[in-house]
Amino acid sequence: MRLEAITWDRLGDLLAERLLDLKPADGAPWPRVAFDGAPAARPGDLARRVSEALRIRGRSSLVVGTEGFLRPASVRLEYGHRDVEAYYNGWYDTGALWREVFGPLETGGDGRVLPDLWDPAADRATRSPYVELPPGGALLMHGPFLLRHWFPFDLSVHVLLSPGALRRRTPEDEHWTLPAFERYEHETDPAGTADVLVRADDPRHPAWSG
């Protein structure tokens, strides 16, 4: 796939422009967008950049990070702090994401989304209030492994790091997670599956598929 050099600001603007005309396939009034990538790729930064670009254009959006939907430590770390299988399959509460985020944005939903559920640092519920996303407002969800859960995204963006860049930019005490991302690449092929591919090996000089 041919990638073109671009700046982060320009990328945020172009993605926002695309979202202005995005019509959900199921007829719901809320476009749902994935910003998929390993934590080291910082997909949340791009999601927030697009949110700001939408705000300037008069369009509402809500940025939701899956780190706010981690399971409690007693469940997440049941098999130890560095269990790759648990990290890949059990750290994120996908049921809560379906119930609290995607469900309210289905056709006939009320648009009231819970932006986060669990504070992993305090290991307790965040007790955040629900946020009402107006019709036409976009859900901008970011996190790892998003494209393997059949979430109903209307547009998917994958922020790609080469294996070498992923290792360099992942803190050493988190290198145990790297096999999970290798597995994700093998089983899901996010670079080939996503609607938009952004390569960010050099964080100063991204490139994208257009």
Side-chain angles (χ1 to χ4, degrees):
M1 180 182 295
R2 184 173 180 272
L3 301 179
E4 299 178 358
I6 194 170
T7 66
W8 288 112
D9 285 341
R10 180 62 174 158
L11 178 58
D13 286 339
L14 290 177
L15 288 174
E17 291 290 341
R18 183 176 298 191
L19 294 187
L20 293 178
D21 297 322
L22 183 63
K23 304 298 182 185
D26 63 358
W30 302 281
R32 295 146 298 194
V33 185
F35 292 85
D36 177 62
R42 304 184 68 85
D45 289 356
L46 181 55
R48 287 183 284 271
R49 193 180 296 271
V50 172
S51 179
E52 176 61 16
L54 286 171
R55 185 192 66 79
I56 293 171
R57 290 162 173 77
R59 182 67 63 87
S60 298
S61 64
L62 177 64
V63 178
V64 174
T66 57
E67 73 273 8
F69 287 84
L70 286 170
R71 297 182 186 277
S74 60
V75 177
R76 195 170 73 247
L77 307 178
E78 179 180 2
Y79 300 103
H81 287 254
R82 297 190 173 193
D83 187 277
V84 176
E85 180 69 23
Y87 178 65
Y88 189 63
N89 283 313
W91 272 39
Y92 296 93
D93 193 342
T94 55
L97 286 167
W98 277 105
R99 182 179 67 252
E100 303 290 357
V101 180
F102 292 106
L105 301 182
E106 294 177 347
T107 302
D110 60 11
R112 295 180 70 250
V113 174
L114 190 65
D116 52 58
L117 179 65
W118 198 259
D119 179 347
D123 199 32
R124 65 184 181 189
T126 58
R127 305 186 187 280
S128 295
Y130 284 85
V131 175
E132 186 166 347
L133 192 61
L139 170 69
L140 309 178
M141 179 174 287
H142 64 88
F145 314 133
L146 288 180
L147 305 185
R148 62 181 294 259
H149 296 297
W150 299 101
F151 290 141
F153 292 118
D154 302 296
L155 183 73
S156 57
V157 180
H158 177 63
V159 185
L160 174 68
L161 295 179
S162 68
L166 178 60
R167 176 169 288 275
R168 289 193 304 272
R169 292 172 58 184
T170 298
E172 188 171 350
D173 63 353
E174 296 176 13
H175 277 187
W176 65 272
T177 65
L178 296 178
F181 294 104
E182 293 175 10
R183 179 177 172 183
Y184 182 54
E185 293 287 338
H186 176 72
E187 293 183 352
T188 306
D189 183 24
T193 302
D195 300 305
V196 177
L197 179 63
V198 178
R199 185 151 203 149
D201 286 2
D202 183 343
R204 300 165 300 176
H205 303 292
W208 80 313
S209 59

